[in-house]
């Protein structure tokens, strides 16, 4: 039976879906030695999911450097606390790696943020926003794409929390790990659906003004989901 996908997913349906949880192990990295060991493991994996988090700014003109780099295999997610250790030689090696595919979303913005901490030559990154169009999906947000393909909700409640805190709480760790790990799940499922032609696309026509209203509302209310 083919999976039903929508060219544009109704945000209102996401609230009713079960919440995604990260099923693996989460390891916080806050020393150079820990980073070296983590990178050694990650570079031995067949595929990785990546994302970053930055402490939010609530004042005009205020900005912060990227706080966290999360890199996940299918079983373990490492949270590199860049606010504490910066981009170490091992982390730079990981970011410049050209062998293991690293899957992210809107990754161009993350690269710019990471480069503000240290210069590096981006390695083998794959942006989901450049892939979803292959199966007819027009949405660009991780939350909508995941809901469309897996019918589960990625909660965004922790997005605007303090990522520079001395200690990350369990909810922050889960949020960060899910954002990286889910990129692997999406990429592999998109490739499977595409190669086996196991999906049926329902084209949804949303009037342009309504699209704009929906996206504005998503920006204003994303922390409430």
């Amino acid at each position: 039976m083919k999976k039903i996908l929508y060219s544009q997913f109704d945000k209102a349906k996401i609230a009713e879906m079960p919440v995604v949880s990260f099923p693996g192990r989460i390891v916080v990295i806050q020393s150079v030695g820990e980073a070296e060991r983590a990178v050694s493991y990650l570079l031995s994996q067949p595929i990785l999911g990546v994302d970053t988090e930055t402490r939010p700014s609530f004042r005009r003109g205020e900005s912060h450097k990227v706080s966290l780099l999360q890199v996940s295999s299918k079983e373990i997610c490492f949270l590199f606390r860049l606010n504490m250790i910066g981009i170490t030689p091992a982390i730079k090696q990981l970011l410049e790696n050209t062998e293991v595919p690293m899957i992210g979303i809107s990754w161009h913005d993350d690269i710019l943020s990471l480069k503000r901490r240290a210069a590096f030559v981006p390695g083998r990154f794959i942006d989901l926003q450049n892939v979803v169009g292959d199966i007819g999906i027009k949405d660009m947000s991780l939350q909508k794409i995941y809901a469309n393909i897996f019918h589960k909700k990625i909660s965004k409640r922790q997005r605007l929390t303090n990522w520079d805190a001395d200690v990350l709480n369990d909810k922050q760790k889960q949020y960060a790990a899910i954002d990286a790990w889910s990129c692997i799940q999406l990429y592999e499922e998109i490739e499977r659906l595409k190669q086996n032609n196991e999906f049926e696309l329902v084209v949804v026509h949303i009037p342009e003004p309504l699209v704009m209203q929906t996206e504005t509302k998503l920006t204003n209310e994303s922390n409430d989901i």
Side-chain angles (χ1 to χ4, degrees):
M1 184 175 180
K2 292 190 175 184
K3 179 174 286 190
I4 304 298
L5 302 177
Y6 299 88
S7 60
Q8 294 175 276
F9 198 76
D10 184 356
K11 178 181 177 290
K13 294 181 179 179
I14 298 177
E16 305 169 359
M17 294 179 172
V19 178
V20 179
S21 61
F22 178 64
R25 178 184 171 202
I26 301 174
V27 180
V28 179
I29 303 298
Q30 45 193 35
S31 76
V32 173
E34 290 172 342
E36 290 176 352
R37 291 188 289 275
V39 168
S40 178
Y41 163 81
L42 290 167
L43 290 178
S44 72
Q45 299 304 298
I47 189 171
L48 300 172
V50 293
D51 194 29
T52 67
E53 304 297 339
T54 301
R55 178 182 175 181
S57 301
F58 299 106
R59 298 177 182 175
R60 185 184 299 273
E62 180 184 54
S63 64
H64 302 283
K65 289 185 177 180
V66 59
S67 307
L68 191 73
L69 168 66
Q70 53 265 48
V71 186
S72 182
S73 68
K74 293 181 181 181
E75 294 83 22
I76 306 175
C77 184
F78 294 91
L79 308 183
F80 296 90
R81 302 214 63 192
L82 302 184
N83 60 309
M84 294 183 176
I85 61 174
I87 294 182
T88 68
I91 295 173
K92 181 180 179 182
Q93 178 190 5
L94 176 65
L95 294 172
E96 293 187 333
N97 127 74
T98 58
E99 298 296 324
V100 184
M102 298 173 284
I103 318 300
I105 191 164
S106 189
W107 191 244
H108 177 266
D109 296 334
D110 293 87
I111 287 176
L112 291 178
S113 296
L114 289 166
K115 282 185 173 181
R116 293 189 184 102
R117 280 205 171 270
F120 67 94
V121 179
R124 190 180 174 186
F125 290 108
I126 298 174
D127 195 323
L128 287 172
Q129 290 184 342
N130 297 329
V131 175
V132 291
D134 293 344
I135 55 174
I137 293 177
K138 295 182 179 180
D139 292 318
M140 293 287 106
S141 76
L142 180 67
Q143 189 185 59
K144 280 190 175 182
I145 297 169
Y146 202 92
N148 196 347
I149 293 178
F150 291 118
H151 303 286
K152 289 187 177 182
K153 175 176 70 176
I154 293 180
S155 172
K156 308 306 289 184
R157 286 183 179 274
Q158 300 302 311
R159 184 173 66 89
L160 296 180
T161 57
N162 182 10
W163 295 100
D164 283 344
D166 291 339
V167 178
L168 297 178
N169 62 45
D170 289 342
K171 290 182 178 180
Q172 286 178 306
K173 293 176 187 178
Q174 267 284 318
Y175 173 91
I178 288 168
D179 273 9
W181 169 81
S182 63
C183 289
I184 299 176
Q185 311 308 307
L186 284 170
Y187 179 75
E188 291 191 333
E189 181 66 0
I190 289 169
E191 289 300 300
R192 185 188 72 82
L193 292 172
K194 184 171 60 174
Q195 291 173 12
N196 300 325
N197 193 29
E198 291 188 2
F199 69 96
E200 181 178 334
L201 183 70
V202 177
V203 178
V204 179
H205 297 286
I206 301 178
E208 189 63 27
L210 182 57
V211 172
M212 295 175 63
Q213 290 175 15
T214 301
E215 295 303 322
T216 301
K217 188 175 182 181
L218 176 61
T219 301
N220 294 336
E221 297 182 2
S222 60
N223 198 39
D224 296 330
I225 296 179

